[in-house]
Amino acid sequence: MEQEKLILDEISQSSEKKAEKIGKRTFILIAMIVVGAASAFIGYSYYENQLLANATTHLLEHYNSNYVIQNLQGTVVNTWVSWNLLQGQVLHVSIVNDANLPDDKINAVKNAILSNETITVDNSLLHEGPSGTSSTRYKGWEGALADLQRSPTKFFIPQTFAISEESNGAGDIVITLTNDENPDGLSGFTKSISDGNQILKSKITIYDASQLSSLQLGAITRHEFGHALGLAHSTDPSDLMHATIRTDYPYISGCDIDAIKGLYSGDERSQVICQ
Ligand SMILES: [Zn+2]
């Protein structure tokens, strides 16, 4: 009997050890999978960012933008302006395709306004912080402005845009794509008509449009649309709203969103100041 018990004890001990071993193995296997997946993800994000950086660097180097605000008498005014919409009002945007751009290029213009996609960029690539910390940038204005609904501002921030392709120039914001060259060498120009501090209409012109890639068209539209919403230029060269787009990541930043929030809260300042 006693011997039998000893044998039984031994058997149960060894199976416990076995179970322990299997448990350890499973743990190591799971850990390996997790580490593998994490490094694949980090590697892929880095690769994706590098691809984007390579695609935009140098291509936008000579891109210049300007904007002007005029009153109803046609006089240039130097003040802050914003849309003064009813709560929930939709801004109508029309694209006038004088350059006969194909659909994929028109979609790049539309996405710069409507997309709610984001991109996560390592701050070290933006020269804005240590590696390992990251910032979110938005590919489209509708996505960037959607989060602002939570805290109401003095003036309602335009958050929904309806885009149509009408050649008659109707719409609150009109984007004209032309093959003309701008005499001052500008790629993009935005003229807003205002009454007091209220924008009545914004007209964006994108020059030499057939020469632009989808990526460039998207970046220029994103920048000019910022003007159409009332933003001036940014002091920060790494920002979308800098007078010349120098950043490899021409997407809407938290700094641009803060500037919009300030503008529609009645801050008499439209310059984008990034801290
Ligand atoms: Zn500009």
Side-chain angles (χ1 to χ4, degrees), residues 63-67 188 190 223-224 227 231-233 240-244:
Y63 164 65
N64 280 295
S65 151
N66 213 344
Y67 66 97
T190 301
H223 176 106
E224 297 303 330
H227 289 316
L231 289 183
H233 279 142
L240 170 71
M241 292 311 294
H242 194 259
T244 53

Side-chain angles (χ1 to χ4, degrees), residues 92-96 110 162-167 170-171:
H92 291 270
V93 180
S94 62
I95 299 176
V96 181
K110 287 181 181 171
I163 302 185
S164 63
E165 288 174 58
E166 285 173 44
S167 52

Side-chain angles (χ1 to χ4, degrees), residues 20-98:
E20 213 171 276
K21 250 192 196 167
I22 290 169
K24 259 188 199 163
R25 266 192 212 154
T26 316
F27 176 76
I28 290 170
L29 190 68
I30 290 171
M32 276 166 70
I33 290 169
V34 169
V35 169
S39 44
F41 176 74
I42 291 167
Y44 175 73
S45 313
Y46 181 75
Y47 172 72
E48 195 190 24
N49 285 340
Q50 279 312 106
L51 271 189
L52 276 170
N54 291 339
T56 45
T57 310
H58 310 308
L59 290 178
L60 287 163
E61 219 164 54
H62 304 292
Y63 164 65
N64 280 295
S65 151
N66 213 344
Y67 66 97
V68 70
I69 303 163
Q70 286 181 354
N71 63 21
L72 287 169
Q73 288 73 44
T75 311
V76 173
V77 291
N78 195 3
T79 182
W80 65 279
V81 286
S82 70
W83 290 90
N84 194 348
L85 305 176
L86 299 171
Q87 187 81 19
Q89 196 179 328
V90 173
L91 266 187
H92 291 270
V93 180
S94 62
I95 299 176
V96 181
N97 186 7
D98 282 349

Side-chain angles (χ1 to χ4, degrees), residues 144-219:
L145 300 174
D147 281 349
L148 295 179
Q149 266 163 339
R150 273 184 266 129
S151 44
T153 39
K154 185 177 171 190
F155 303 106
F156 177 75
I157 298 174
Q159 271 144 354
T160 317
F161 306 101
I163 302 185
S164 63
E165 288 174 58
E166 285 173 44
S167 52
N168 62 6
D172 302 305
I173 298 175
V174 179
I175 303 174
T176 303
L177 305 162
T178 174
N179 281 330
D180 292 350
E181 293 201 8
N182 178 277
D184 299 321
L186 299 176
S187 298
F189 182 72
T190 301
K191 180 163 118 178
S192 293
I193 310 295
S194 74
D195 187 12
N197 294 104
Q198 181 185 353
I199 304 176
L200 302 175
K201 191 170 182 108
S202 287
K203 296 176 186 175
I204 296 171
T205 308
I206 298 178
Y207 297 94
D208 218 358
S210 290
Q211 299 302 312
L212 300 168
S213 67
S214 292
L215 223 66
Q216 290 172 313
L217 268 170

Side-chain angles (χ1 to χ4, degrees), residues 240-259:
L240 170 71
M241 292 311 294
H242 194 259
T244 53
I245 297 187
R246 288 198 201 143
T247 173
D248 294 336
Y249 305 96
Y251 304 104
I252 300 149
S253 68
C255 176
D256 301 321
I257 296 169
D258 285 346

